[in-house]
Amino acid sequence: MFKDLFQKKKYATVPSVSQAPAASERPKREIPEGLMNRCPKCGNIQFSKEWEKNLKVCSTCGHHSRLNALERIAMTLDDGRFFEIDADLTSEDPLEFPGYKAKLEQQKASSGLKDAVVTGEGEIGGVPVVVGVMSFDFFSGSMGSVVGEKVTRAIELAAAKKLPLLLFSTSGGARMQESILSLMQMAKTSAALAKFQEEGGLFISVFTDPTLGGVSASFASLGDYILAEPGAIVGFAGRIVIEQTIRQKLPDNFQTAEFNLKHGQLDKVVHRKDMKAFLTKLLEMHVGGGASDGQ
Amino acid sequence: MDNKLPFEGPLSEQRRKIDHLKKVGVEQNIDFSEEIARLEEAYKKLEDEIYSNLSGAQIMHLARVHSRPTTLDYINEIFEDFIELHGDRLYGDDLAIVGGIAKLNGVAVTVVGHQRGKDTKDNIQRFFGSPHPEGFRKALRFMQQANKFGRPIITFIDTKGAYPGDSAEARGQSEAIARNLKEMALLRVPVICVVIGEGGSGGALALGVGNRVLMLENSIYSVISPNGAASILWKDASKADQAAEAMKITAKDLLEFGIIEEIVPEPKGGAHLDPVRTAEAVKTAIWRHLEELSGMTPEALVEDRYRKFRSVGKFAAPELV
Ligand SMILES: [Zn+2]
């Protein structure tokens, strides 16, 4: 019955990666604009078309460049088909924080997004899911009231429809300009997840580069399964703050996905090209016993 | 006694004048009593003026006064028969968190809070009240034990934030905080949280998912320390006072936002000037809320807490058609 409801949805087709706007890393000046891409990690220069076909992963060193929400949705959901929910929720300036309104407008213009998370429904390998994807190119993926509310509503939708929930996180942390309201979104999303998971709901959390602070220390760390992209920086405190506190230089691999895997903080590091297949496999493990089929 | 904050300078000045006049009066055997009474009157007026109109930044400085009472001070004043418990049973005993069981007006409760140090040595072993993951897990263990035995939970919040260290990260600082947020939401007993000093970031919230959240009049609660915000926003940590104003971190602000239920009054000039009286006020408030909550079923308590946090947030949404 839920499946029928779901099938009737009208889908918007998300542009494929090569058409998607606002690439997160722009080519350096000496490279012909748009034609070539230089890897920020190893410096390798590649045709942009090749690089995009490679899902923005460097063919030399494997560096996974940041994606915006629309790119991620396009490469994860079946046929890039996605029914967006709560698209019209936008941030206000409840504290009248100096410069916040202007910055919001500027972020909307530069990212083409209305806030730092996009939520909705789609299918992965034929399995219907509720999905939320954060975008670092909007306000460093920071969590304010809108991100907290949209994530919470996505959790509630997954609970109501008994669908698996999938969240791709990337965030610099809390939205300071919303101060305490921002902090409380951590409790709000976590409480909603508590309910959902108590009722048998399946939540898969995927860390992408970077996920820090309030997002890392709330819903993103509460997955029944926690995955990460290679090299993604995941942690609570930022490297600089920690280095200042302990008065020591931290190793290069500090807080990488691999570091977190080694320290027991996640289940698996999954290459971008394998992500969809892996998610499909994981989701299929829960069909006929997991959340998609009731409790 | 005179470790006053800069904005309290006029008071110190006035006090000096009064003391001087008293001294001269005694030395030269002159009766200044009328003059002294007039100056005392002016002192009171000045005091009212200063303390009834504190800015966010001034309150931040009061919240950080070194001699401000800590969690253990409140525990000792408010509860009877406190039994301190230790450890998370997983890794260690983080002294940045203290807690155990005690009686409140004869009722067994679990009490847990952040613990700052009283001096440098104490601060070092308590990491200045900034917990590692084992601290949050210790607190959660106490709370889940309370849940099992049907004891109400009282938490005291007083931290600049979770400890930013490499081993804290390796042991899952994010996971520890997130888990507390999730598990506190499911507790089937009354949970009352009191912000007594500085409530900083996720490290504070990890003890803060309560049915009732109270704040002392001169405490603060914010998503990031004003110093941290200033250095990120304006690349200048010395603009912490400005950030403190902009971020609206006082008890009054949070009451207006609907984040907290009550402001617990402090003696004029701050809790450190009269810890016993402050503790008395905290105890009265806790007890009143506990009585209100004690009539609720476990399910109603969970639902009440959920509704409180579910409703937080301000955003623009289109009208539903
Ligand atoms: Zn490379």
Side-chain angles (χ1 to χ4, degrees), chain A residues 90 95 156 179 188 216 236, chain B residues 169 174 247-248 310 312 316:
Chain A
T90 51
L95 275 69
E156 289 168 343
S179 195
K188 180 162 103 181
S216 170
F236 181 64
Chain B
E169 295 292 320
S174 287
M247 288 202 299
K248 302 202 164 61
R310 177 65 187 87
V312 179

Side-chain angles (χ1 to χ4, degrees), chain B residues 18 21-22 32-43:
Chain B
I18 296 169
L21 206 56
K22 281 181 180 166
F32 284 130
S33 57
E34 241 175 69
E35 180 70 1
I36 287 169
R38 201 178 54 78
L39 286 174
E40 286 285 5
E41 193 68 23
Y43 183 91

Side-chain angles (χ1 to χ4, degrees), chain A residues 39 42 58 61:
Chain A
C39 173
C42 74
C58 173
C61 75

